[in-house]
Amino acid sequence: MTAPRWVPAWTAEEGTARALAAFAARFGTDGAAPSVWSAPGRVNLIGEHTDYNGGLCLPIALPHRTYVALRPAPAGSDVVRLASAQEPGAGLIELHLADVGPGTVDGWTAYVLGVAWALGQPGALRGGADAPTIGGCDAVVDSCVPYGAGLSSSAALEASVAVALDATFGLGLAGTAEQPDDAGRAVLAAACVRAENEIAGAPTGGMDQSASLRAQAGHALLLDCLDGSVRQVPFDLAAHGLALLVIDTRAEHALVDGQYAARRTTCEAAATRLGLGTLREIHGTGGLAAAFASLASAGGADSDVAVRRVRHVVTEIARVEDFVALLDAGRVREVGPLLDASHASLRDDYEVSCRELDLAVATARAAGALGARMTGGGFGGSAIALVEADAVEAVAAAIAAAFESAELTAPAFLLSPPSAPAA
Ligand code: GLA
């Protein structure tokens, strides 16, 4: 049997050195030296497909980060020159910021240029203030956030660029690493969401960008997507002898395809049919029963699908509340059944799991995990398992062996203590 493959996070020194070296390789060492910013990927503990329904979710920031080395272009220039250490074949991409808009750029550059575009839009800044001009820049990115793994490599890229532009062009939003400005970061997160929705063309809900910008080390971020408010919930698994194992199944994960958008459309149509702003407004078993009756009265297969999608969203929001109540009570060892129930709901009602995710989750549980579930958008990507700290290796080995027996691509494993936000 092949040993599990671990994906370590770079240290800050390593990430910074890599970004600076990649910058020097691309732009030489003449001219102004760049500075380096970075932002984490995220893993969601619970509350999946709730963000675009005005619901609750509970992500943490990964220790795995995307680094950007950036310096401003000469005053008055709006030329952006971009390169990625992970896409050396793409060479240097160069264009005018004035030419960026919906439909003008694609691939990884859409996330970078989209953030610059969004921050320059009227009313994008705090209190609707006019944007100080976002000028051109030279930037090189590098990252240890696994790509296509459902761990928000795109949000990490957006958030790293957002804090870089904030500092470089004096937007005054992010605060410092020691004293983050959460309200300002919410503004940056909103710009990142616009970049993703309008420039990259992925209709995602906003959890990932908030996690990357607003999560705190040692905490899970309870995000209320109805009003964007947050609460930092202490989340110290090590103190309880536990660890969070992240399993990147390597099964393809893409949010730009139609399945994610279809889920969102079904939920929004159901809310409209129920006369609600969002599905968040459905409360308790009575509210759920009334909603089911109303949706079922339309008849046909579509109404059955709508009932199941709504059931997932409403029960998942309740599971977030229950999960947080257990954390607040210091009963983290008891959250396992909520993880399991979340997975079943995502698999059976929301239908966003897949064979690889189900196998990872079932094997983790059989190997002793307290609970496990898919995390992120689904259709591939990653699962999480809550395990005894001294059982991490054994659970990972069991999952690797199960994938090998099933003749699936070998998964990769990450450990993820709740880490620091973009800075
Ligand atoms: C992706 C999206 C998020 C969220 C999750 C599902 O990660 O980017 O906005 O909808 O899927 O919870």
Side-chain angles (χ1 to χ4, degrees), residues 42 44 47-52 152 204-208 255 260 376-377:
R42 66 94 190 93
N44 190 20
E48 220 64 83
H49 288 276
T50 53
D51 58 354
Y52 52 82
S152 296
T204 55
M207 164 175 71
D208 312 340
L255 295 181
Y260 182 94

Side-chain angles (χ1 to χ4, degrees), residues 2-418:
T2 322
R5 181 167 72 83
W6 291 91
V7 182
W10 298 340
T11 63
E13 294 70 31
E14 190 179 0
T16 301
R18 278 175 180 260
L20 289 173
F23 190 97
R26 190 57 75 172
F27 292 110
T29 48
D30 294 345
S35 298
V36 177
W37 291 265
S38 66
R42 66 94 190 93
V43 65
N44 190 20
L45 297 175
I46 197 157
E48 220 64 83
H49 288 276
T50 53
D51 58 354
Y52 52 82
N53 288 303
L56 302 170
C57 51
L58 192 69
I60 60 173
L62 287 176
H64 301 71
R65 298 174 77 89
T66 293
Y67 292 79
V68 56
L70 183 146
R71 73 174 171 212
S77 165
D78 82 336
V79 172
V80 178
R81 298 192 294 170
L82 276 182
S84 166
Q86 288 154 316
E87 307 247 356
L92 191 67
I93 289 136
E94 182 167 340
L95 81 178
H96 289 275
L97 262 186
D99 294 334
V100 177
T104 58
V105 283
D106 58 10
W108 70 273
T109 60
Y111 299 104
V112 177
L113 295 163
V115 172
W117 169 85
L119 286 171
Q121 295 307 297
L125 301 187
R126 199 177 341 226
D130 273 347
T133 308
I134 305 266
C137 60
D138 293 337
V140 178
V141 298
D142 202 353
S143 181
C144 65
V145 182
Y147 172 78
L151 298 172
S152 296
S153 58
S154 55
L157 179 55
E158 290 157 357
S160 66
V161 170
V163 290
L165 296 178
D166 177 63
T168 303
F169 296 104
L171 308 186
L173 292 167
T176 61
E178 298 71 35
Q179 278 204 309
D181 174 347
D182 184 68
R185 283 167 176 260
V187 173
L188 291 175
C192 292
V193 174
R194 281 197 76 177
E196 178 128 0
N197 291 170
E198 297 177 47
I199 304 297
T204 55
M207 164 175 71
D208 312 340
Q209 294 77 10
S210 291
S212 189
L213 282 153
R214 302 173 74 188
Q216 290 292 308
H219 295 76
L221 183 79
L222 175 60
L223 174 65
D224 186 330
C225 300
L226 204 53
D227 60 6
S229 62
V230 297
R231 175 156 80 86
Q232 305 290 343
V233 183
F235 186 64
D236 184 0
L237 289 180
H240 294 265
L242 297 171
L244 191 70
L245 176 64
V246 180
I247 307 116
D248 169 8
T249 65
R250 303 312 303 150
E252 193 182 336
H253 160 94
L255 295 181
V256 193
D257 77 5
Q259 288 295 330
Y260 182 94
R263 295 300 181 285
R264 187 169 180 162
T265 303
T266 298
C267 290
E268 288 169 353
T272 302
R273 183 174 163 80
L274 296 167
L276 306 173
T278 68
L279 297 181
R280 176 71 175 282
E281 293 166 42
I282 301 173
H283 294 291
T285 43
L288 201 50
F292 288 168
S294 173
L295 292 169
S297 68
D302 283 357
S303 74
D304 173 57
V305 168
V307 162
R308 289 187 291 118
R309 303 293 190 253
V310 169
R311 182 166 56 205
H312 165 71
V313 171
V314 175
T315 60
E316 183 78 353
I317 293 170
R319 280 186 287 273
V320 177
E321 289 170 333
D322 294 348
F323 194 108
V324 171
L326 287 172
L327 292 187
D328 285 342
R331 292 162 58 192
V332 64
R333 287 190 157 268
E334 296 171 46
V335 302
L338 291 169
L339 297 175
D340 296 347
S342 172
H343 186 77
S345 180
L346 288 157
R347 181 192 59 210
D348 302 335
D349 275 348
Y350 220 65
E351 297 181 280
V352 292
S353 189
C354 64
R355 180 181 170 216
E356 291 86 347
L357 288 167
D358 292 343
L359 181 63
V361 163
T363 309
R365 281 188 211 133
L370 279 66
R373 67 176 203 89
M374 56 155 281
T375 186
F379 312 108
S382 294
I384 53 173
L386 184 64
V387 297
E388 303 289 349
D390 60 8
V392 161
E393 290 287 344
V395 175
I399 295 168
F403 272 56
E404 195 167 333
S405 299
E407 298 184 1
L408 294 168
T409 304
F413 299 91
L414 295 76
L415 286 175
S416 77

